[in-house]
Amino acid sequence: MNRMHFFLWMALVALALGSALVAQQTGGEHHPVVLHAARLLDVVTGRIVTPGEVLVKGERIVAAGSSVEHPAGAEVIDLGDTTLMPGLIDAHVHLFLHLGAEDLQTVEESVPQRTILATLAARDDLMAGFTAERDMGTEGAGSADTAVRNAINDGLIPGPRLRISGNAIDILGGHEDANDFNPAQHVLSNATYANTSDEIVAAIREQFKEGSDFVKMYETGPDSLHDGVFSTPYQYTAAQLKVGVDEAARVGKKVAVHAMGEPGTLYAAEAGVASIDHAAQLSDETMRLMREKQIPAVPTFTIFEYFADHAASPAAARRERAIFEYHAAEFKKQLAAGIPFAVGSDVGPFPHGTQARELVLMAQLGMKPLAVLQADLLNGAKLLGWDGQIGELKPGYYADIVAVPGNPVEDISVTQRVSFVMKNGVVYKR
């Protein structure tokens, strides 16, 4: 057995164990469960309820507050000196990426291998308390995320509830094209080509046929920063993006964009996209439109910090750190402008399960901890299309619940130490 076969065999064993875990946990899912802890977070008001209790039956929350009914036969899980809060949401993940050179992963690793790794990444994210995620492109693995989402939904493997985009959409020679390889090798792009409005529509229809929940389009790149001037060329006009938005809307779906700066960010806001991800540079007009249309920015600071801390050379580290600092300064302007935010980490190139760092960074860079939690849970639920179903501990909502030590409103870093995870009424970690 060679090293690759051994690696895949071990991954399959891990998946089998995970499947057995899910099967064991779901056997009694219709018996009432009462979760008891020292505290409970009301994320809408920021109030910490003491003590905190949640009554769960099946996949739904029945009641939540300082005291709930304890039905006969209910299992009581005492979580001690912790705070109950809604499961975390990551609005920008890459399940099909892991540590190492991104371009080489997509060339050297087969789609089946990458799919196995994606299931392990989904498990790691869930165990870290992320009960819902938006997978922002499979980076050349096509619609393989459809299979991962469906396996999670069918209870075959553990993972967050997912919204998936399949392959992202890009122009020839664009941000995710294989621009640095020998052209004679015809290395495939990490995205799906669409150079015209007709091609955009065709690509979107194919992705929807293959099971995607939304569309991701690359709107800017590559990025540069010289003498304090940030530059990133746009890829699609506002009219072309609007074609994509309208085609998605035809079947009740949305478009999210990778857009670092102007004028691409303005074009995205004009087109009415669902979110502007990365958003390192937003003009006053762009922010006005984002407020008016309630388009959230998803800053993804963690990936920029990671690239700066793990650059291949001192020069690359200086470049990445400069972009991070530029982004941080612009974030303060965006906060002052009152645009909406959601929380997404861009996890994948850095280790899955560690992305609560994003909440910490947003707070360190000027956002109040409660506002970060509201951006994550309330705006995240809305962005993923599950508003009124996740993001709060309320009757009728899905029982996606985590416990953290301490008070997350006072110290948001406790979200990095999730000790209990329930998703859909099933306990995955305790």
Side-chain angles (χ1 to χ4, degrees):
M1 181 182 293
N2 64 30
R3 182 180 179 185
M4 181 64 71
H5 289 157
F6 176 77
F7 177 78
L8 292 175
W9 177 80
M10 289 297 292
L12 287 169
V13 169
L15 282 178
L17 291 173
S19 298
L21 175 66
V22 174
Q24 179 184 7
Q25 289 168 330
T26 56
E29 65 181 5
H30 295 299
H31 294 297
V33 175
V34 175
L35 305 179
H36 177 90
R39 297 167 297 277
L40 179 148
L41 171 65
D42 180 339
V43 71
V44 174
T45 65
R47 188 167 64 99
I48 296 294
V49 178
T50 55
E53 290 193 337
V54 181
L55 173 60
V56 175
K57 187 170 184 181
E59 62 184 19
R60 302 280 181 171
I61 294 172
V62 176
S66 60
S67 177
V68 299
E69 178 190 0
H70 289 215
E75 177 186 6
V76 178
I77 300 177
D78 190 342
L79 297 169
D81 187 19
T82 63
T83 300
L84 293 168
M85 59 180 289
L88 299 169
I89 298 171
D90 193 331
H92 192 126
V93 309
H94 289 285
L95 293 176
F96 285 78
L97 291 177
H98 56 81
L99 292 181
E102 294 178 44
D103 53 352
L104 294 182
Q105 289 174 44
T106 62
V107 172
E108 295 176 350
E109 298 171 5
S110 69
V111 171
Q113 180 184 353
R114 295 181 66 206
T115 304
I116 290 171
L117 294 176
T119 63
L120 300 178
R123 181 200 61 190
D124 289 346
D125 289 354
L126 176 65
M127 295 307 177
F130 288 85
T131 55
E133 295 184 332
R134 192 175 57 153
D135 192 49
M136 292 287 285
T138 61
E139 304 288 320
S143 59
D145 53 357
T146 297
V148 176
R149 178 201 60 199
N150 293 351
I152 292 171
N153 289 348
D154 291 342
L156 300 176
I157 59 173
R161 57 182 80 245
L162 292 177
R163 296 299 193 197
I164 60 159
S165 66
N167 243 12
I169 295 175
D170 198 10
I171 61 172
L172 181 67
H175 178 74
E176 277 300 311
D177 205 350
N179 296 319
D180 297 325
F181 290 93
N182 174 5
Q185 296 300 321
H186 302 290
V187 175
L188 298 176
S189 172
N190 290 343
T192 297
Y193 290 135
N195 293 300
T196 67
S197 293
D198 287 345
E199 290 175 356
I200 290 170
V201 170
I204 288 173
R205 289 178 180 176
E206 180 64 31
Q207 290 180 345
F208 287 165
K209 175 184 176 180
E210 295 177 7
S212 66
D213 298 310
F214 70 99
V215 179
K216 179 188 177 180
M217 298 178 70
Y218 282 102
E219 171 55 6
T220 66
D223 314 314
S224 64
L225 182 65
H226 297 293
D227 297 325
V229 178
F230 184 78
S231 176
T232 182
Y234 75 89
Q235 297 191 172
Y236 296 108
T237 65
Q240 288 172 321
L241 288 176
K242 186 64 163 58
V243 167
V245 169
D246 289 345
E247 177 57 27
R250 182 179 64 83
V251 291
K253 299 184 180 183
K254 296 181 179 180
V255 174
V257 296
H258 166 117
M260 280 285 287
E262 298 291 342
T265 44
L266 175 61
Y267 295 164
E270 289 175 337
V273 300
S275 66
I276 296 177
D277 290 57
H278 309 306
Q281 180 191 59
L282 303 172
S283 68
D284 290 344
E285 175 62 9
T286 300
M287 290 190 286
R288 183 190 69 78
L289 289 171
M290 292 172 73
R291 287 194 307 270
E292 178 183 298
K293 300 181 180 184
Q294 284 298 287
I295 299 171
V298 183
T300 67
F301 286 114
T302 311
I303 192 67
F304 294 100
E305 179 187 60
Y306 185 85
F307 285 160
D309 291 345
H310 296 81
S313 68
R318 287 192 294 272
R319 175 188 177 277
E320 297 293 346
R321 179 59 58 183
I323 290 178
F324 177 88
E325 291 173 353
Y326 177 89
H327 192 179
E330 290 293 304
F331 179 60
K332 290 178 171 58
K333 298 176 185 177
Q334 295 165 13
L335 287 171
I339 67 170
F341 290 93
V343 178
S345 67
D346 213 357
V347 68
F350 68 92
H352 281 277
T354 68
Q355 64 262 49
R357 174 66 177 167
E358 185 68 24
L359 287 82
V360 175
L361 284 173
M362 290 176 73
Q364 287 181 352
L365 294 172
M367 202 171 190
K368 294 185 183 302
L370 177 60
V372 176
L373 292 167
Q374 291 171 336
D376 183 62
L377 300 170
L378 305 180
N379 294 352
K382 183 177 181 181
L383 181 57
L384 271 62
W386 281 308
D387 48 320
Q389 299 179 78
I390 64 172
E392 297 181 59
L393 301 182
K394 292 178 63 175
Y397 278 53
Y398 286 117
D400 292 2
I401 306 166
V402 301
V404 297
N407 180 344
V409 175
E410 294 178 351
D411 178 9
I412 201 166
S413 73
V414 299
T415 57
Q416 297 177 293
R417 302 191 297 278
V418 170
S419 59
F420 172 87
V421 178
M422 171 183 279
K423 191 202 90 177
N424 221 37
V426 177
V427 176
Y428 288 90
K429 180 179 182 180
R430 61 186 292 187

